[in-house]
C-alpha cells in the first residue's frame, strides 16, 4: 500500500545469519534488490536553457505532466547538449522518462516511431539566454558556459547557494527576495548582503 524502491532478503534465523559471516562489504545472510525504476511516456513540450551559479547552460525539458514514482512531474533534466544530440531529442517528441535514484526526473529515450516530422531539433545556444553574452566551451568539457562573469542569472545562482540551507542557511532570503534585490540592482555580489 506504499511506494518502495526495493527489498532486502534476509536469513530469518539469527544463528544462521551469524554463522554465514560477512564479506568486507556486506553480510552474507542478507542481500538487497532494487526494483527497476518506474518509467512513463509523455510529450516534450519545450526546452528551456537554465543558467547555473557557475554559468553552465543546462537544457531542461518541459513535459506534459506525468505521474512518476509517486509524484507528478513536468520538468526533467537533459544534462547537456551533447547528451541531447546523442539521444536525438527534439521538441515535440514523445519521450520515456524515469527518476534517477527515485528523485530526479530525466529523459531516458525518445519514442522515435511516434514522430510526425513536425518535431524541432534542440540547438545549443550561441549566446546566454539571460544576458545575451557569447557562450564558451573548453575542448575538454561537454558543458557550455556564459562568458559574462557579471551575468545576472549567475549572480542569482551564487546568492541562492550562499543563502541556502546547505550553506549559510539565511532564513527569509529565498529565490523571490534574491530576484528582487538583483533586479533592483541593490546587490552585485555576496559582500552586498
Amino acid at each position: 500500500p506504499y511506494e518502495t524502491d526495493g527489498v532486502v532478503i534476509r536469513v530469518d534465523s539469527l544463528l544462521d545469519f551469524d554463522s554465514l559471516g560477512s564479506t568486507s562489504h556486506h553480510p552474507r545472510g542478507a542481500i538487497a534488490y532494487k526494483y527497476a525504476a518506474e518509467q512513463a511516456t509523455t510529450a516534450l513540450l519545450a526546452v528551456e536553457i537554465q543558467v547555473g551559479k557557475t554559468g553552465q547552460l543546462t537544457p531542461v525539458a518541459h513535459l506534459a505532466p506525468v505521474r512518476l514514482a509517486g509524484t507528478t512531474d513536468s520538468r526533467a533534466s537533459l544534462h547537456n547538449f551533447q547528451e541531447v544530440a546523442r539521444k536525438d531529442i527534439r521538441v515535440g517528441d514523445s519521450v520515456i522518462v524515469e527518476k534517477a535514484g527515485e528523485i530526479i526526473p530525466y529523459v531516458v529515450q525518445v519514442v522515435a516511431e511516434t514522430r510526425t516530422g513536425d518535431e524541432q531539433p534542440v540547438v545549443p545556444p550561441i549566446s546566454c539566454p539571460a544576458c545575451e553574452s557569447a557562450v564558451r566551451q573548453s575542448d575538454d568539457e561537454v558543458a557550455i558556459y556564459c562568458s559574462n562573469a557579471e551575468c545576472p542569472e549567475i549572480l542569482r545562482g551564487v546568492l541562492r547557494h550562499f543563502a541556502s540551507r546547505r550553506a549559510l542557511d539565511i532564513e527569509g532570503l529565498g529565490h523571490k527576495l534574491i530576484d528582487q534585490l538583483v533586479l533592483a540592482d541593490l546587490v552585485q555580489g555576496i559582500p552586498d548582503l
Side-chain angles (χ1 to χ4, degrees):
Y2 53 87
E3 297 284 333
T4 181
D5 66 349
V7 64
V8 174
I9 300 172
R10 186 181 190 286
V11 173
D12 196 28
S13 161
L14 288 176
L15 189 59
D16 290 340
F17 185 87
D18 289 340
S19 70
L20 288 169
S22 63
T23 69
S24 61
H25 295 86
H26 56 273
R28 289 191 176 103
I31 189 164
Y33 288 99
K34 284 277 200 183
Y35 298 136
E38 180 183 343
Q39 294 184 335
T41 303
T42 188
L44 193 152
L45 305 174
V47 173
E48 170 192 7
I49 299 169
Q50 200 171 53
V51 183
K53 68 179 181 278
T54 63
Q56 182 174 337
L57 306 181
T58 304
V60 177
H62 287 266
L63 308 168
V66 63
R67 188 95 176 136
L68 193 60
T71 63
T72 300
D73 296 295
S74 59
R75 291 169 49 101
S77 173
L78 294 175
H79 304 294
N80 57 60
F81 292 97
Q82 189 176 51
E83 185 73 358
V84 170
R86 186 183 71 77
K87 292 180 179 177
D88 191 22
I89 296 171
R90 302 176 190 179
V91 175
D93 272 336
S94 183
V95 293
I96 297 173
V97 293
E98 72 177 42
K99 287 189 177 180
E102 299 288 316
I103 305 293
I104 301 169
Y106 74 99
V107 173
V108 176
Q109 70 182 52
V110 170
V111 184
E113 55 271 12
T114 63
R115 284 193 170 150
T116 64
D118 294 330
E119 296 80 12
Q120 298 298 312
V122 178
V123 180
I126 56 171
S127 62
C128 174
C131 68
E132 299 181 4
S133 298
V135 299
R136 63 177 170 78
Q137 181 178 18
S138 61
D139 293 336
D140 59 339
E141 279 190 87
V142 297
I144 297 173
Y145 294 89
C146 174
S147 61
N148 179 8
E150 295 180 15
C151 176
E153 202 55 41
I154 295 174
L155 175 60
R156 285 182 180 97
V158 167
L159 295 173
R160 287 176 188 141
H161 175 72
F162 181 77
S164 72
R165 220 177 268 151
R166 296 183 74 193
L168 289 188
D169 194 15
I170 302 174
E171 195 171 319
L173 187 57
H175 289 224
K176 287 184 180 180
L177 183 55
I178 287 170
D179 290 345
Q180 291 171 352
L181 292 170
V182 171
L183 191 62
D185 206 26
L186 295 172
V187 175
Q188 287 86 35
I190 290 172
D192 293 336
L193 291 177

